[in-house]
Amino acid sequence: LLAILLLSVQIQHVTVTGSDRYSAKQVEELLFTGRWGKNSAHAYFSDKFRPHIQIPFVEDYKIVFHGPFHAEVIIYDKSIVGYVSYMSSYMYFDREGIVVESSGRKLEGVPWITGMDLGRVVLYQPLPVADSRIFEEILNLTQQLSLYEILVDQIRFDAYNQPILTIGQMEVILGNMGNIDSKLSVLNDILTDQPQLREIRGTLELGDYSETNDRAGITFKKK
């Protein structure tokens, strides 16, 4: 009777915390599949005593059972700061420059990094770039962009390793990384006041911006 009872109890409600990349339905389809996938006893045993399923862009996960009918999945996302295109795939890398994921899927909010001279890109290995200091610049830039909640589609490094942002139809030239916090603060103010600029093909020039003159070096030219 106990065995029959255990085999008949099914998980009816799945919640997901810790990640915006997967919905509860998607996680349910990934983790609780098959004939016995939603059986509470089977799910508990699998979580505790079997290797976890590999989920793209996820470092690991933890299942917390709130009774026999409710399972909470806590997701621990991989730390990703950008991606590069290589061999028709998107290679995502972390703040150390390590390639942590290869996928044909573009993640929303993760910038495409271009302009770097790359060798052969290998999963779980550092990106093969000539100057590793560029990762410090990418990390600093992406952290500042996140702080101001500025979503960019692309970060392109020119011949002088100076970043150019693509936001919608607009390009933003930042110049060198000096005074980058002030430049992004000004960019945030401009996008807040004139959000329509994202839909205009043009170039916003901030490379010569100076804190001593808040109007210096700010120009916008349509293409």
Side-chain angles (χ1 to χ4, degrees):
L1 290 177
L2 179 61
I4 293 173
L5 178 62
L6 288 175
L7 294 176
S8 65
V9 176
Q10 301 287 311
I11 296 171
Q12 299 177 5
H13 185 52
V14 177
T15 57
V16 176
T17 58
S19 177
D20 296 326
R21 296 173 183 165
Y22 289 94
S23 66
K25 182 179 180 180
Q26 289 173 318
V27 171
E28 185 175 330
E29 292 173 350
L30 288 167
L31 301 184
F32 306 101
T33 59
R35 181 179 180 183
W36 301 102
K38 282 192 174 182
N39 177 262
S40 300
H42 180 271
Y44 180 86
F45 177 87
S46 297
D47 179 60
K48 299 300 180 183
F49 302 106
R50 291 181 178 175
H52 278 184
I53 296 172
Q54 298 297 310
I55 302 177
F57 308 109
V58 171
E59 189 70 37
D60 200 0
Y61 61 86
K62 178 181 179 181
I63 301 179
V64 179
F65 292 89
H66 302 285
F69 306 109
H70 177 201
E72 177 187 5
V73 182
I74 303 173
I75 301 289
Y76 301 97
D77 284 334
K78 290 181 177 178
S79 174
I80 294 173
V81 299
Y83 71 90
V84 297
S85 293
Y86 181 77
M87 299 286 288
S88 71
S89 295
Y90 303 122
M91 311 296 283
Y92 292 84
F93 59 91
D94 63 12
R95 63 183 60 201
E96 304 298 331
I98 305 298
V99 180
V100 297
E101 194 72 49
S102 174
S103 175
R105 168 189 172 194
K106 286 186 179 181
L107 285 184
E108 184 178 351
V110 179
W112 178 26
I113 312 297
T114 64
M116 298 186 298
D117 292 329
L118 297 175
R120 181 170 177 265
V121 181
V122 180
L123 194 61
Y124 308 124
Q125 297 294 322
L127 272 178
V129 295
D131 187 356
S132 60
R133 290 176 298 179
I134 198 169
F135 292 118
E136 297 179 12
E137 297 184 359
I138 293 172
L139 178 59
N140 182 36
L141 183 55
T142 54
Q143 285 178 334
Q144 294 293 333
L145 289 169
S146 177
L147 177 65
Y148 289 106
E149 298 183 348
I150 300 173
L151 295 179
V152 303
D153 301 298
Q154 181 181 357
I155 301 174
R156 175 169 60 87
F157 287 89
D158 62 17
Y160 302 98
N161 278 345
Q162 296 180 351
I164 300 172
L165 310 180
T166 299
I167 304 174
Q169 299 294 316
M170 177 181 66
E171 281 193 343
V172 181
I173 297 177
L174 296 176
N176 61 52
M177 292 293 288
N179 203 25
I180 191 66
D181 180 66
S182 297
K183 292 176 183 178
L184 293 182
S185 177
V186 169
L187 175 60
N188 180 59
D189 292 339
I190 292 172
L191 292 175
T192 300
D193 294 337
Q194 303 182 64
Q196 72 277 7
L197 289 178
R198 294 180 173 89
E199 307 306 322
I200 300 175
R201 288 181 59 82
T203 301
L204 177 65
E205 173 66 65
L206 294 177
D208 296 326
Y209 171 78
S210 170
E211 288 184 292
T212 58
N213 185 347
D214 60 6
R215 291 298 177 186
I218 302 178
T219 61
F220 181 80
K221 295 181 180 179
K222 291 184 179 180
K223 291 185 178 180

